[in-house]
Amino acid sequence: MPLSRMPSLSSLRAFEAAARRLSFKDAADELSVTPGAISQQVRSLEDDLGISLFHRATRSVSLTEAERAAQLAEVSAALGLDLTSVPDAEGLTLKRAQVLGFNGKPLVQLAYQRADGTPVALCIIPAGPDGKAVSMGVAQGMELARWNTPGFGFLLIGGQDQQPLRNEADAFQSGSVGDAI
C-alpha cells in the first residue's frame, strides 16, 4: 500500500528508540518526552504504514512475528547457521537478535527476557570442531552456561539463580539450537 505522505521524523525517531530498547518508557527517557508521547508517535507511524510494529502488553512491548523473523534471518546469514526456526525456551521471550563482532568473527546475540523481567542473553560465535557439554559458571555475579557444538560456541548468561539458566541451556542445547545446527 503506497504511502500518501511521508511519516514524520518524530514518529520515526520514537519508533527507532522504542524498537532498540523494546520499552516506551526507556525510549521516552532517551528522547526526553513522556511514554505517552512515544506511544502516540508509534501509533501514528503504524497508522501511516498500515501495519502493527509492536505487540503491546501492560508495561511492555515485543517484536511482531515479522520483525522477529527478519532479525533471525539477518543473524542466521551473518553466522552461517540457520536460527530462523529457533523457538523461545520455556519462560523466555525473544526481545532482540543482533550481530556483533569479536576478534574479527561474527558474534550473534539473542536477547531474551524471563517472565519475571530477568534479562538472558544467548551468544553464538564460530568455534572449533569439538563439541563440549554444558558447563556452568559465574561471572560478575551472573550465572553463565557454556557449550560447544561442532563449529560453534555458545554462551548463555543471565540472572543469579543457576537452575533456571541450566534448564534454559539444556533446552537450547538439546532442542532448538541443537536442531538448528
Side-chain angles (χ1 to χ4, degrees):
M1 159 193 218
L3 293 175
S4 59
R5 64 183 177 89
M6 291 297 293
S8 73
L9 185 56
S10 60
S11 67
L12 292 171
R13 282 186 184 133
F15 167 69
E16 187 278 331
R20 186 168 22 85
R21 296 175 171 271
L22 287 174
S23 166
F24 286 0
K25 181 188 177 309
D26 291 347
D29 290 346
E30 177 181 323
L31 298 175
S32 300
V33 298
T34 66
I38 296 292
S39 180
Q40 288 177 336
Q41 291 293 332
V42 170
R43 179 73 66 202
S44 173
L45 181 60
E46 290 174 327
D47 290 344
D48 289 345
L49 299 174
I51 60 170
S52 176
L53 298 169
F54 294 109
H55 290 292
R56 290 169 172 79
T58 305
R59 297 185 184 192
S60 70
V61 294
S62 59
L63 303 174
T64 62
E65 284 304 313
E67 180 60 23
R68 173 189 164 108
Q71 286 187 12
L72 288 174
E74 179 184 346
V75 299
S76 293
L79 196 57
L81 174 66
D82 183 9
L83 298 171
T84 58
S85 62
V86 172
D88 292 337
E90 186 175 337
L92 292 180
T93 301
L94 180 67
K95 293 297 187 174
R96 178 178 32 233
Q98 61 186 346
V99 179
L100 306 169
F102 181 74
N103 286 342
K105 298 178 185 177
L107 179 141
V108 165
Q109 181 191 55
L110 304 179
Y112 290 89
Q113 188 173 32
R114 291 185 185 140
D116 68 3
T118 302
V120 176
L122 175 62
C123 299
I124 309 167
I125 192 164
D130 297 332
K132 293 182 184 170
V134 173
S135 65
M136 302 300 293
V138 177
Q140 300 296 316
M142 293 186 73
E143 290 294 326
L144 57 90
R146 295 175 287 228
W147 70 95
N148 284 26
T149 61
F152 297 95
F154 298 85
L155 173 68
L156 185 66
I157 186 166
Q160 297 177 323
D161 186 358
Q162 186 181 74
Q163 194 56 53
L165 197 74
R166 177 64 191 221
N167 294 343
E168 292 153 359
D170 288 344
F172 280 122
Q173 184 185 35
S174 66
S176 53
V177 175
D179 291 343
I181 298 172

